[in-house]
């Protein structure tokens, strides 16, 4: 049975919010990773990669807000500190210089991680009858899979 956020049990809201906070953390770290690569990419593919990394960080910045607002709709706390996000995230920052191919691979891995995290969060939401969160997770997961495909295509 489909339920609104306020009709969900406290345990359901907590489980869903925890999964969404994971997604917010990974989205925030990936946003910064994309900005880092956008600023620092060089080489023959500079133009298209510069543009692609910008598309990614602009998309992810909006997504962070959408995910965090859903957490708040569940009457839960949205993680808002960089330290907390870095601690929670399965996506890591990238230190130092990287080649364009290393940047592409790191960003592809981040997109695949995000898609998996959102698939898991969507399943938790579905298990609790929260179709609105499930739908958000499906849509975001599809976006990350598309970005992963774009990035993989650069490495073929």
């Amino acid at each position: 049975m489909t339920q609104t956020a306020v009709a969900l049990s406290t345990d359901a809201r907590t489980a869903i919010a925890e999964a969404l906070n994971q997604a917010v953390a990974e989205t925030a770290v990936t946003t910064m990773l994309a900005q880092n690569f956008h600023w620092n990419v060089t080489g023959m593919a500079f133009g298209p990669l510069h543009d692609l990394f910008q598309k990614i960080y602009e998309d992810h910045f909006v997504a962070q807000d959408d995910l965090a607002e859903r957490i708040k709709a569940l009457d839960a706390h949205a993680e808002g500190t960089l330290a907390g996000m870095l601690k929670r995230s399965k996506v890591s920052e990238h230190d130092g210089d990287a080649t364009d191919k290393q940047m592409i691979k790191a960003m592809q891995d981040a997109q695949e991680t995000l898609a998996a995290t959102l698939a898991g969060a969507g399943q938790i939401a579905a298990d609790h009858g929260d179709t609105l969160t499930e739908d958000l997770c499906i849509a975001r997961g599809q976006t990350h899979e598309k970005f992963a495909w774009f990035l993989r295509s650069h490495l073929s």
Side-chain angles (χ1 to χ4, degrees):
M1 174 170 84
T2 300
Q3 297 185 51
T4 62
V6 294
L8 294 167
S9 72
T10 300
D11 288 345
R13 288 194 317 268
T14 299
I16 296 164
E18 181 64 22
L20 289 176
N21 267 310
Q22 182 70 37
V24 170
E26 291 171 6
T27 304
V29 174
T30 304
T31 301
M32 195 65 234
L33 186 68
Q35 278 194 306
N36 177 6
F37 291 165
H38 169 79
W39 294 330
N40 291 301
V41 67
T42 60
M44 292 299 294
F46 168 81
L49 289 177
H50 185 77
D51 291 346
L52 179 56
F53 293 142
Q54 181 173 348
K55 283 179 186 167
I56 291 170
Y57 76 71
E58 287 175 347
D59 168 84
H60 290 23
F61 185 79
V62 173
Q64 292 172 67
D65 195 49
D66 292 341
L67 292 165
E69 288 179 354
R70 185 62 189 161
I71 293 166
K72 296 309 296 177
L74 292 164
D75 199 29
H77 176 76
E79 174 63 62
T81 68
L82 294 175
M85 291 180 191
L86 284 167
K87 183 177 179 181
R88 181 188 295 262
S89 179
K90 291 181 236 157
V91 176
S92 299
E93 292 181 298
H94 192 278
D95 262 343
D97 292 328
T99 67
D100 56 353
K101 288 185 179 183
Q102 290 169 326
M103 291 176 179
I104 294 165
K105 180 64 174 138
M107 187 56 59
Q108 175 194 331
D109 291 346
Q111 296 303 316
E112 290 170 354
T113 297
L114 274 163
T117 295
L118 284 156
Q123 186 59 57
I124 291 167
D127 292 346
H128 291 289
D130 181 0
T131 56
L132 297 176
T133 300
E134 179 187 14
D135 184 59
L136 174 62
C137 291
I138 289 168
R140 287 304 315 155
Q142 290 171 334
T143 298
H144 295 296
E145 284 194 342
K146 186 173 182 178
F147 279 133
W149 160 53
F150 286 175
L151 292 154
R152 245 188 336 272
S153 295
H154 281 278
L155 297 174
S156 297

